[in-house]
Amino acid sequence: MSLVQSLAIARTEEDVKDAYIKALGLKGVFKGLVDIQTPEIWFEAKETPTPPLLMFAQLLTYVRAARKRGEAIPGFLCVIDREKAALMATEHALPLLDDKAIVWPKSGSAADKAMAAQIAPTIETHFVLYQIDGYEAEFIKATKDAVREGRIIRTPITPDNLRQVFDKWVAMVGVELGVKRQADYAVLFFADIMHDGRNEAMRNLPARLLFNGDKPVFIIGAEQYELASERGYLNFWNIYHRPPEQKHRHYLLERRDSLLPMDDQKFKGAFYTPLHIVDKAYDQLAATLGADWQQKYIVWDMCAGVGNLEAKHSNLRNVFMSTLDQEDVTIMRRNPAFAGAEIFQYDYLNDDVTDFGEIDYNLSGKVPQALRQAIADAREGKKGAKPILVLINPPYAEAMNVDNVSGSGGDNAELKKGVSKTRIS
Ligand SMILES: C[S@@+](CC[C@H](N)C(=O)[O-])C[C@H]1O[C@@H](n2cnc3c(N)ncnc32)[C@H](O)[C@@H]1O
């Protein structure tokens, strides 16, 4: 049955989607918030005839969110309904994603005519519209060609995702190199990212990347490293774009010394937050606060434990970490991953709380002056003041009654004790 025939008998949006999936022979399909998703192409589908610009507005809202989360986005975008389809290379829409003049809706489904009008001048001349009745073959050929081309828009490497990218590089590439010294990982990583696959983008780095045919060979001094398996290497460079933009390169290089592979043991305290959860949290922070949030916000984690929530932060100079137990403070201070951060012992539920329930940092004097100043400046709305982002995975406890003496917490009863007796109550 042809696509036009399948669409004629389609009753629901699901039927419309399935008709296109079958006609295009799409592989690796995922249906979620984005109606049809493959690594190469994403679709927005409607059951009834809908203006293409409105559908692109919705689809681009999802693309923008995915890009902010640091996910790879496909090379092509397509909008479909029961009568027509429109296909566009994603690159034409990229300028829109950073356009501050556009008011992006909170959800894709809220994309409306006003937004469609805003994106129209940029993309109108770049998508190709096909009426399926009459142009089915052309649409199918163009879309299959696009999928075959396998063009992917890769994620840029920036100051804010450096730590996350490095951790992924160690797991996917570094471990395949049989590196002898842990410190060499960062040097090799920079040789790899500061290369476009053909030429070095920066010279005089302590390590070099050369190619023996297609095979990457890394050189540090007299030592040479080759990959035990190339699969991770290919996957990694399918996700990220190299080299980083010129404007970031020197800054990224400066951060080299702060990058050491994560030794899981250093990140296992009594109540530690698992690192894969932290990674997701950072994706969400970038999606919510914008790609350069680590430059814009001062972070205070006031129940930092062994510090995992800050392990993926790439700009520790903007980070303050405090926690209850001095032992945890010592562990954090010893961890080179936190070099540059201010780390101190502080009981945020008791220290500095006056009898009237106000906060007075002079009471304990434990909060560093720089943080007090940052808080005061942010409160005053002083020009250039960075807002304070409280980033915490708080201790969990419930007050069962005023005295919180009920032991119904089972094994956790001990943790719950005395919550209402803190000065914060
Ligand atoms: C859920 S854990 C957070 C773990 C942390 N993100 C990490 O990965 O190590 C809560 C932490 O808060 C600390 N804590 C509990 N009560 C506190 C208080 N009153 N002031 C400061 N820290 C506190 C605990 O010691 C624990 O390390």
Side-chain angles (χ1 to χ4, degrees):
M1 197 187 297
S2 68
L3 175 57
V4 80
Q5 287 167 331
S6 306
L7 290 172
I9 55 168
R11 290 217 235 137
T12 62
E13 189 177 297
E14 254 349 89
D15 294 342
V16 171
K17 288 188 219 171
D18 289 339
Y20 278 94
I21 291 172
K22 187 155 177 273
L24 294 167
L26 293 175
K27 302 259 165 14
V29 168
F30 179 77
K31 289 182 182 168
L33 210 51
V34 175
D35 285 327
I36 304 170
Q37 211 169 351
T38 81
E40 301 86 8
I41 186 165
W42 290 2
F43 293 80
E44 173 59 33
K46 292 280 181 245
E47 192 263 315
T48 51
T50 307
L53 277 169
L54 205 53
M55 293 193 274
F56 273 122
Q58 184 162 347
L59 190 51
L60 284 171
T61 307
Y62 300 132
V63 170
R64 183 169 173 269
R67 193 173 174 80
K68 281 185 146 197
R69 286 194 299 270
E71 291 165 13
I73 55 177
F76 287 89
L77 302 174
C78 192
V79 297
I80 51 179
D81 63 28
R82 61 166 59 245
E83 288 179 352
K84 61 189 179 305
L87 181 67
M88 176 175 69
T90 313
E91 63 193 343
H92 298 302
L94 290 181
L96 290 170
L97 305 185
D98 301 319
D99 187 340
K100 299 244 173 351
I102 294 179
V103 184
W104 292 89
K106 289 262 181 289
S107 70
S109 55
D112 57 8
K113 278 188 190 158
M115 189 186 160
Q118 283 193 297
I119 64 169
T122 309
I123 65 167
E124 219 161 22
T125 53
H126 291 296
F127 63 77
V128 185
L129 187 62
Y130 301 89
Q131 293 298 331
I132 299 302
D133 191 2
Y135 294 91
E136 174 172 336
E138 287 81 354
F139 166 68
I140 291 179
K141 179 173 185 321
T143 310
K144 282 188 168 175
D145 284 351
V147 170
R148 202 171 304 119
E149 197 184 314
R151 202 189 312 172
I152 298 169
I153 308 288
R154 293 178 173 84
T155 304
I157 301 172
T158 66
D160 276 15
N161 67 10
L162 180 68
R163 180 77 235 187
Q164 280 177 286
V165 176
F166 175 70
D167 291 341
K168 288 190 179 122
W169 183 90
V170 172
M172 291 167 81
V173 180
V175 292
E176 299 293 341
L177 290 172
V179 170
K180 294 188 191 116
R181 290 171 303 268
Q182 293 274 303
D184 285 350
Y185 276 120
V187 175
L188 293 165
F189 168 71
F190 275 94
D192 202 11
I193 69 169
M194 297 296 182
H195 199 291
D196 68 6
R198 285 187 195 165
N199 298 303
E200 287 168 333
M202 271 189 127
R203 295 196 179 274
N204 301 323
L205 296 178
R208 291 190 72 191
L209 170 63
L210 301 173
F211 282 89
N212 179 4
D214 283 345
K215 286 191 193 315
V217 181
F218 292 86
I219 310 216
I220 308 184
E223 264 157 337
Q224 190 165 315
Y225 293 103
E226 290 185 38
L227 294 164
S229 152
E230 278 171 60
R231 191 190 308 179
Y233 193 77
L234 294 176
N235 280 343
F236 183 84
W237 289 117
N238 263 333
I239 300 172
Y240 293 105
H241 175 82
R242 68 178 172 179
E245 270 188 77
Q246 179 85 39
K247 65 175 180 192
H248 294 316
R249 289 184 200 162
H250 283 284
Y251 182 80
L252 292 174
L253 268 182
E254 273 174 31
R255 310 220 64 83
R256 191 175 57 208
D257 293 342
S258 69
L259 293 178
L260 281 172
M262 300 260 171
D263 166 4
D264 273 351
Q265 291 314 314
K266 281 199 178 132
F267 294 92
K268 283 197 175 149
F271 311 105
Y272 73 99
T273 310
L275 289 176
H276 67 278
I277 305 282
V278 178
D279 196 53
K280 269 282 166 230
Y282 273 64
D283 288 346
Q284 292 301 323
L285 282 162
T288 311
L289 302 176
D292 53 354
W293 70 273
Q294 295 181 16
Q295 320 296 318
K296 287 191 185 149
Y297 287 80
I298 302 275
V299 167
W300 184 9
D301 182 347
M302 49 191 78
C303 36
V306 290
N308 290 24
L309 265 183
E310 287 65 46
K312 304 276 174 184
H313 203 290
S314 306
N315 188 5
L316 274 299
R317 272 174 280 182
N318 281 346
V319 174
F320 293 85
M321 300 153 84
S322 58
T323 199
L324 186 60
D325 296 327
Q326 185 58 43
E327 251 173 53
D328 286 342
V329 172
T330 309
I331 290 173
M332 286 193 282
R333 285 198 178 137
R334 283 202 193 125
N335 190 337
F338 303 130
E342 281 252 26
I343 299 167
F344 56 103
Q345 190 282 330
Y346 191 63
D347 178 346
Y348 80 113
L349 297 178
N350 291 295
D351 286 337
D352 295 342
V353 185
T354 69
D355 292 344
F356 304 106
E358 315 247 287
I359 306 275
D360 176 356
Y361 294 120
N362 290 321
L363 284 183
S364 76
K366 289 180 181 176
V367 174
Q369 195 50 43
L371 179 55
R372 290 196 225 181
Q373 191 63 50
I375 293 170
D377 290 350
R379 275 237 171 91
E380 255 179 53
K382 208 169 175 182
K383 198 162 174 257
K386 293 184 177 173
I388 315 291
L389 175 70
V390 175
L391 179 60
I392 57 174
N393 176 5
Y396 173 74
E398 274 170 18
M400 307 301 291
N401 55 39
V402 199
D403 295 327
N404 192 31
V405 289
S406 156
S408 70
D411 288 347
N412 288 329
E414 200 50 38
L415 294 179
K416 295 182 174 186
K417 242 184 194 167
V419 172
S420 62
K421 289 184 183 152
T422 61
R423 287 183 65 84
I424 283 278
S425 302

Short mmCIF file of all heavy atoms in Angstrom, two decimals, residues 182-219:
data_model
loop_
_atom_site.label_atom_id
_atom_site.label_comp_id
_atom_site.label_asym_id
_atom_site.label_seq_id
_atom_site.Cartn_x
_atom_site.Cartn_y
_atom_site.Cartn_z
N GLN A 182 47.91 8.37 35.56
CA GLN A 182 46.56 8.98 35.57
C GLN A 182 46.58 10.40 34.99
O GLN A 182 45.69 10.80 34.26
CB GLN A 182 46.04 9.05 37.01
CG GLN A 182 45.78 7.70 37.62
CD GLN A 182 44.39 7.21 37.27
OE1 GLN A 182 43.40 7.87 37.56
NE2 GLN A 182 44.31 6.05 36.65
N ALA A 183 47.66 11.15 35.33
CA ALA A 183 47.72 12.55 34.92
C ALA A 183 47.80 12.68 33.40
O ALA A 183 47.48 13.73 32.84
CB ALA A 183 48.92 13.23 35.57
N ASP A 184 48.23 11.61 32.72
CA ASP A 184 48.34 11.68 31.25
C ASP A 184 46.99 11.73 30.55
O ASP A 184 46.89 12.14 29.40
CB ASP A 184 49.15 10.49 30.72
CG ASP A 184 50.63 10.65 31.00
OD1 ASP A 184 51.03 11.76 31.41
OD2 ASP A 184 51.38 9.68 30.82
N TYR A 185 45.95 11.29 31.24
CA TYR A 185 44.63 11.31 30.61
C TYR A 185 44.28 12.71 30.10
O TYR A 185 43.82 12.88 28.98
CB TYR A 185 43.55 10.86 31.59
CG TYR A 185 43.39 9.36 31.67
CD1 TYR A 185 43.58 8.68 32.87
CD2 TYR A 185 43.02 8.62 30.55
CE1 TYR A 185 43.41 7.31 32.94
CE2 TYR A 185 42.85 7.25 30.62
CZ TYR A 185 43.05 6.59 31.82
OH TYR A 185 42.88 5.24 31.88
N ALA A 186 44.48 13.71 30.97
CA ALA A 186 44.07 15.07 30.60
C ALA A 186 44.89 15.55 29.39
O ALA A 186 44.36 16.18 28.47
CB ALA A 186 44.24 16.02 31.77
N VAL A 187 46.18 15.21 29.39
CA VAL A 187 47.06 15.65 28.30
C VAL A 187 46.62 15.01 26.98
O VAL A 187 46.53 15.67 25.93
CB VAL A 187 48.51 15.26 28.66
CG1 VAL A 187 49.46 15.56 27.52
CG2 VAL A 187 48.95 15.98 29.93
N LEU A 188 46.29 13.72 27.04
CA LEU A 188 45.85 13.01 25.83
C LEU A 188 44.49 13.52 25.37
O LEU A 188 44.22 13.66 24.17
CB LEU A 188 45.78 11.50 26.12
CG LEU A 188 47.14 10.86 26.39
CD1 LEU A 188 46.98 9.48 27.01
CD2 LEU A 188 47.93 10.76 25.09
N PHE A 189 43.63 13.78 26.34
CA PHE A 189 42.29 14.31 26.04
C PHE A 189 42.40 15.61 25.25
O PHE A 189 41.74 15.80 24.22
CB PHE A 189 41.55 14.51 27.37
CG PHE A 189 40.27 15.29 27.27
CD1 PHE A 189 39.14 14.76 26.67
CD2 PHE A 189 40.18 16.57 27.83
CE1 PHE A 189 37.95 15.49 26.61
CE2 PHE A 189 39.01 17.30 27.77
CZ PHE A 189 37.89 16.76 27.16
N PHE A 190 43.29 16.50 25.72
CA PHE A 190 43.42 17.78 25.02
C PHE A 190 44.03 17.61 23.63
O PHE A 190 43.64 18.31 22.69
CB PHE A 190 44.21 18.78 25.87
CG PHE A 190 43.32 19.49 26.85
CD1 PHE A 190 43.16 19.03 28.14
CD2 PHE A 190 42.58 20.59 26.45
CE1 PHE A 190 42.30 19.65 29.02
CE2 PHE A 190 41.72 21.22 27.33
CZ PHE A 190 41.58 20.75 28.61
N ALA A 191 44.96 16.65 23.49
CA ALA A 191 45.52 16.40 22.15
C ALA A 191 44.40 15.96 21.21
O ALA A 191 44.35 16.35 20.04
CB ALA A 191 46.60 15.33 22.23
N ASP A 192 43.47 15.18 21.76
CA ASP A 192 42.38 14.64 20.94
C ASP A 192 41.34 15.71 20.58
O ASP A 192 40.91 15.80 19.44
CB ASP A 192 41.72 13.49 21.72
CG ASP A 192 40.98 12.52 20.80
OD1 ASP A 192 41.16 12.63 19.57
OD2 ASP A 192 40.22 11.68 21.31
N ILE A 193 40.96 16.52 21.56
CA ILE A 193 39.89 17.49 21.26
C ILE A 193 40.41 18.67 20.43
O ILE A 193 39.66 19.27 19.68
CB ILE A 193 39.14 17.99 22.52
CG1 ILE A 193 39.99 18.87 23.41
CG2 ILE A 193 38.55 16.85 23.31
CD1 ILE A 193 39.17 19.59 24.51
N MET A 194 41.70 18.99 20.58
CA MET A 194 42.24 20.14 19.83
C MET A 194 42.77 19.67 18.47
O MET A 194 43.87 20.00 18.06
CB MET A 194 43.35 20.83 20.63
CG MET A 194 42.91 21.43 21.93
SD MET A 194 41.70 22.76 21.71
CE MET A 194 41.44 23.26 23.41
N HIS A 195 41.98 18.88 17.81
CA HIS A 195 42.36 18.31 16.53
C HIS A 195 41.04 18.15 15.77
O HIS A 195 40.03 17.81 16.37
CB HIS A 195 42.99 16.92 16.80
CG HIS A 195 43.81 16.40 15.67
ND1 HIS A 195 43.28 16.00 14.47
CD2 HIS A 195 45.15 16.20 15.55
CE1 HIS A 195 44.26 15.59 13.67
NE2 HIS A 195 45.41 15.72 14.30
N ASP A 196 41.05 18.44 14.47
CA ASP A 196 39.75 18.32 13.78
C ASP A 196 39.60 16.97 13.07
O ASP A 196 38.69 16.77 12.27
CB ASP A 196 39.52 19.49 12.81
CG ASP A 196 40.49 19.46 11.63
OD1 ASP A 196 41.24 18.47 11.50
OD2 ASP A 196 40.47 20.41 10.84
N GLY A 197 40.50 16.04 13.37
CA GLY A 197 40.44 14.73 12.72
C GLY A 197 41.42 14.67 11.54
O GLY A 197 41.75 13.60 11.07
N ARG A 198 41.85 15.85 11.08
CA ARG A 198 42.85 15.89 9.99
C ARG A 198 44.07 16.69 10.43
O ARG A 198 45.20 16.29 10.22
CB ARG A 198 42.27 16.59 8.77
CG ARG A 198 41.31 15.74 8.04
CD ARG A 198 40.91 16.41 6.75
NE ARG A 198 39.74 15.76 6.23
CZ ARG A 198 38.97 16.25 5.30
NH1 ARG A 198 39.25 17.41 4.79
NH2 ARG A 198 37.92 15.60 4.88
N ASN A 199 43.79 17.83 11.02
CA ASN A 199 44.88 18.74 11.40
C ASN A 199 44.78 19.12 12.87
O ASN A 199 43.69 19.13 13.43
CB ASN A 199 44.80 20.03 10.57
CG ASN A 199 44.96 19.74 9.10
OD1 ASN A 199 45.96 19.17 8.69
ND2 ASN A 199 43.96 20.10 8.32
N GLU A 200 45.95 19.49 13.42
CA GLU A 200 45.95 20.01 14.79
C GLU A 200 45.34 21.41 14.78
O GLU A 200 45.69 22.23 13.93
CB GLU A 200 47.38 20.09 15.32
CG GLU A 200 47.98 18.73 15.64
CD GLU A 200 49.47 18.81 15.88
OE1 GLU A 200 50.14 19.71 15.34
OE2 GLU A 200 49.97 17.96 16.62
N ALA A 201 44.47 21.66 15.75
CA ALA A 201 43.90 23.00 15.86
C ALA A 201 44.75 23.86 16.78
O ALA A 201 44.60 25.08 16.81
CB ALA A 201 42.48 22.92 16.40
N MET A 202 45.63 23.23 17.57
CA MET A 202 46.55 23.96 18.44
C MET A 202 47.89 23.26 18.42
O MET A 202 47.94 22.02 18.50
CB MET A 202 46.02 23.96 19.88
CG MET A 202 45.10 25.10 20.18
SD MET A 202 44.76 25.15 21.93
CE MET A 202 45.17 26.82 22.29
N ARG A 203 48.93 24.04 18.36
CA ARG A 203 50.26 23.43 18.32
C ARG A 203 50.93 23.51 19.69
O ARG A 203 50.44 24.18 20.57
CB ARG A 203 51.13 24.15 17.29
CG ARG A 203 50.58 23.95 15.90
CD ARG A 203 51.58 24.30 14.83
NE ARG A 203 50.94 24.05 13.54
CZ ARG A 203 50.93 22.87 12.94
NH1 ARG A 203 51.56 21.84 13.45
NH2 ARG A 203 50.31 22.70 11.78
N ASN A 204 52.04 22.78 19.81
CA ASN A 204 52.85 22.81 21.02
C ASN A 204 52.14 22.32 22.27
O ASN A 204 52.40 22.78 23.36
CB ASN A 204 53.40 24.22 21.28
CG ASN A 204 54.25 24.68 20.12
OD1 ASN A 204 54.96 23.87 19.52
ND2 ASN A 204 54.14 25.96 19.77
N LEU A 205 51.20 21.41 22.10
CA LEU A 205 50.59 20.78 23.28
C LEU A 205 51.54 19.68 23.75
O LEU A 205 52.32 19.14 22.95
CB LEU A 205 49.23 20.18 22.92
CG LEU A 205 48.16 21.18 22.48
CD1 LEU A 205 46.88 20.45 22.12
CD2 LEU A 205 47.89 22.19 23.59
N PRO A 206 51.47 19.31 25.04
CA PRO A 206 52.41 18.30 25.54
C PRO A 206 52.20 16.91 24.92
O PRO A 206 53.11 16.08 24.96
CB PRO A 206 52.13 18.24 27.05
CG PRO A 206 51.08 19.24 27.33
CD PRO A 206 50.65 19.91 26.08
N ALA A 207 51.02 16.64 24.38
CA ALA A 207 50.83 15.37 23.67
C ALA A 207 50.34 15.67 22.27
O ALA A 207 49.77 16.73 22.02
CB ALA A 207 49.81 14.51 24.40
N ARG A 208 50.56 14.72 21.34
CA ARG A 208 50.11 14.94 19.96
C ARG A 208 49.25 13.77 19.50
O ARG A 208 49.43 12.63 19.93
CB ARG A 208 51.32 15.04 19.03
CG ARG A 208 52.11 16.29 19.24
CD ARG A 208 53.14 16.44 18.14
NE ARG A 208 52.52 16.79 16.87
CZ ARG A 208 53.17 16.77 15.70
NH1 ARG A 208 54.42 16.40 15.65
NH2 ARG A 208 52.54 17.13 14.59
N LEU A 209 48.33 14.10 18.60
CA LEU A 209 47.53 13.06 17.97
C LEU A 209 47.96 12.97 16.52
O LEU A 209 47.98 13.98 15.80
CB LEU A 209 46.05 13.43 18.07
CG LEU A 209 45.07 12.56 17.27
CD1 LEU A 209 45.09 11.12 17.75
CD2 LEU A 209 43.66 13.12 17.37
N LEU A 210 48.33 11.76 16.08
CA LEU A 210 48.65 11.55 14.67
C LEU A 210 47.74 10.43 14.16
O LEU A 210 47.14 9.71 14.96
CB LEU A 210 50.12 11.12 14.51
CG LEU A 210 51.16 12.11 15.03
CD1 LEU A 210 52.56 11.48 14.97
CD2 LEU A 210 51.13 13.41 14.24
N PHE A 211 47.64 10.30 12.88
CA PHE A 211 46.83 9.21 12.34
C PHE A 211 47.70 8.27 11.51
O PHE A 211 48.47 8.71 10.66
CB PHE A 211 45.67 9.75 11.50
CG PHE A 211 44.55 10.26 12.37
CD1 PHE A 211 44.52 11.58 12.80
CD2 PHE A 211 43.53 9.41 12.78
CE1 PHE A 211 43.51 12.05 13.61
CE2 PHE A 211 42.50 9.87 13.59
CZ PHE A 211 42.48 11.19 14.01
N ASN A 212 47.55 6.98 11.80
CA ASN A 212 48.21 5.96 11.00
C ASN A 212 47.10 5.37 10.14
O ASN A 212 46.35 4.52 10.59
CB ASN A 212 48.83 4.93 11.96
CG ASN A 212 49.51 3.82 11.21
OD1 ASN A 212 49.60 3.85 9.99
ND2 ASN A 212 49.98 2.81 11.95
N GLY A 213 46.95 5.86 8.91
CA GLY A 213 45.74 5.55 8.13
C GLY A 213 44.58 6.20 8.87
O GLY A 213 44.62 7.39 9.15
N ASP A 214 43.55 5.38 9.23
CA ASP A 214 42.42 5.91 10.00
C ASP A 214 42.64 5.82 11.50
O ASP A 214 41.84 6.30 12.29
CB ASP A 214 41.15 5.10 9.67
CG ASP A 214 40.59 5.51 8.34
OD1 ASP A 214 41.02 6.58 7.85
OD2 ASP A 214 39.76 4.77 7.79
N LYS A 215 43.69 5.11 11.89
CA LYS A 215 43.86 4.80 13.32
C LYS A 215 44.56 5.93 14.07
O LYS A 215 45.67 6.32 13.69
CB LYS A 215 44.70 3.53 13.48
CG LYS A 215 43.97 2.26 13.15
CD LYS A 215 44.81 1.08 13.62
CE LYS A 215 44.36 -0.24 13.08
NZ LYS A 215 42.98 -0.54 13.10
N PRO A 216 43.93 6.43 15.13
CA PRO A 216 44.60 7.48 15.91
C PRO A 216 45.77 6.91 16.72
O PRO A 216 45.68 5.81 17.27
CB PRO A 216 43.49 7.98 16.84
CG PRO A 216 42.45 6.94 16.85
CD PRO A 216 42.61 6.08 15.65
N VAL A 217 46.84 7.67 16.75
CA VAL A 217 48.00 7.29 17.56
C VAL A 217 48.35 8.52 18.41
O VAL A 217 48.50 9.61 17.88
CB VAL A 217 49.21 6.93 16.67
CG1 VAL A 217 50.39 6.52 17.53
CG2 VAL A 217 48.85 5.85 15.67
N PHE A 218 48.44 8.31 19.71
CA PHE A 218 48.74 9.42 20.62
C PHE A 218 50.20 9.34 21.04
O PHE A 218 50.70 8.26 21.36
CB PHE A 218 47.86 9.34 21.88
CG PHE A 218 46.41 9.60 21.62
CD1 PHE A 218 45.58 8.58 21.21
CD2 PHE A 218 45.88 10.87 21.79
CE1 PHE A 218 44.23 8.81 20.96
CE2 PHE A 218 44.54 11.12 21.55
CZ PHE A 218 43.71 10.08 21.13
N ILE A 219 50.85 10.50 21.07
CA ILE A 219 52.27 10.51 21.43
C ILE A 219 52.53 11.49 22.58
O ILE A 219 52.13 12.66 22.50
CB ILE A 219 53.10 10.97 20.21
CG1 ILE A 219 52.68 10.14 19.02
CG2 ILE A 219 54.59 10.93 20.52
CD1 ILE A 219 53.68 9.75 18.04
#
